[in-house]
C-alpha cells in the first residue's frame, strides 16, 4: 500500500466511525431508501431544500464501511450547497467511479475523492455509489415536485 492509499483508508475508517450528517429528518422535502443486496448495505437519505440550496441533509442506514463512509462524505460536501452544485458533484462522483479524472476535478468532492480506489473492485462499486444514488433520487423527486424539471 502506498501513502495515498493509506490516507484513503484512514479517511474511510474515520467517516465510518465518526459519520457526518448521520441522523433522521422528521419532515424532509425528499427522502429515499436504497439497498445494495450484494453486500447488505442500506442507506436512507433525507433532504431539505430552501431557495435552491440544500439546507439540511442527513442519512441513516447500515452496512459496510465503504457504504456508510461514502454517505457520510456525500453529506459533508453536499449540505449547504445549491442543488445545482450538488448535481455537479454527483455527476463528478459518478464519473470518477467509472474512470480516472484529473485531480483538480475531484476537488469539490472533498474526502469522497478517496473512494476512487474502490473503482478497482467491481463488486464494491455499488457500496460506494449507494448514498449518491439516493441523492440523485432525492434531487429528481425535488425537481418533479417543484415543477422545475430539466
Ligand atoms: Zn457494502
Amino acid at each position: 500500500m502506498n501513502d495515498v492509499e493509506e490516507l484513503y483508508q484512514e479517511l474511510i475508517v474515520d467517516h465510518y466511525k465518526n459519520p457526518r450528517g448521520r441522523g433522521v429528518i422528521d419532515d424532509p422535502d425528499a427522502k429515499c431508501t436504497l439497498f445494495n443486496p450484494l453486500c447488505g448495505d442500506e442507506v436512507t437519505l433525507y433532504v431539505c431544500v430552501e431557495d435552491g440550496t440544500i439546507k439540511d441533509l442527513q442519512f441513516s442506514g447500515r452496512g459496510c464501511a465503504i457504504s456508510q463512509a461514502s454517505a457520510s462524505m456525500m453529506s459533508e460536501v453536499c449540505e449547504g450547497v445549491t442543488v445545482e452544485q450538488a448535481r455537479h458533484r454527483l455527476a463528478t462522483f459518478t464519473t470518477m467511479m467509472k474512470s480516472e479524472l484529473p485531480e483538480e476535478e475531484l476537488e469539490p468532492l472533498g474526502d469522497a475523492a478517496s473512494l476512487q480506489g474502490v473503482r478497482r473492485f467491481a463488486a464494491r462499486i455499488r457500496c460506494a455509489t449507494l448514498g449518491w444514488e439516493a441523492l440523485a433520487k432525492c434531487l429528481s423527486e425535488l425537481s418533479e415536485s417543484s415543477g422545475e424539471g430539466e
Side-chain angles (χ1 to χ4, degrees):
M1 208 169 3
N2 63 35
D3 289 351
V4 175
E5 281 176 345
E6 222 162 281
L7 172 72
Y8 285 176
Q9 288 284 347
E10 274 173 32
L11 281 171
I12 292 168
V13 170
D14 180 48
H15 275 268
Y16 180 56
K17 290 191 173 157
N18 310 293
R20 281 59 138 185
R22 182 178 272 282
V24 172
I25 300 173
D26 285 333
D27 188 21
D29 296 317
K31 178 187 165 188
C32 175
T33 301
L34 288 181
F35 300 94
N36 172 18
L38 284 175
C39 184
D41 307 319
E42 178 188 335
V43 169
T44 301
L45 190 67
Y46 311 84
V47 181
C48 285
V49 172
E50 208 178 291
D51 300 328
T53 297
I54 297 179
K55 292 291 275 191
D56 201 0
L57 193 157
Q58 305 212 33
F59 77 95
S60 61
R62 57 177 167 239
C64 68
I66 292 174
S67 68
Q68 303 304 303
S70 179
S72 166
M73 291 164 172
M74 183 272 294
S75 304
E76 190 172 59
V77 292
C78 289
E79 189 181 68
V81 305
T82 66
V83 170
E84 260 334 289
Q85 284 170 322
R87 280 212 180 95
H88 192 252
R89 274 155 212 206
L90 173 65
T92 304
F93 184 84
T94 308
T95 308
M96 179 191 84
M97 293 312 294
K98 290 178 190 145
S99 55
E100 191 145 2
L101 283 175
E103 207 59 42
E104 61 269 22
E105 282 187 44
L106 299 179
E107 221 166 280
L109 294 181
D111 291 349
S114 66
L115 292 166
Q116 63 183 305
V118 176
R119 201 170 53 220
R120 285 179 288 135
F121 307 95
R124 309 304 300 280
I125 290 177
R126 187 88 208 281
C127 302
T129 58
L130 195 66
W132 295 79
E133 285 173 39
L135 175 67
K137 291 237 190 292
C138 284
L139 293 182
S140 66
E141 190 184 309
L142 284 164
S143 65
E144 275 164 31
S145 62
S146 71
E148 281 167 26
E150 265 189 300

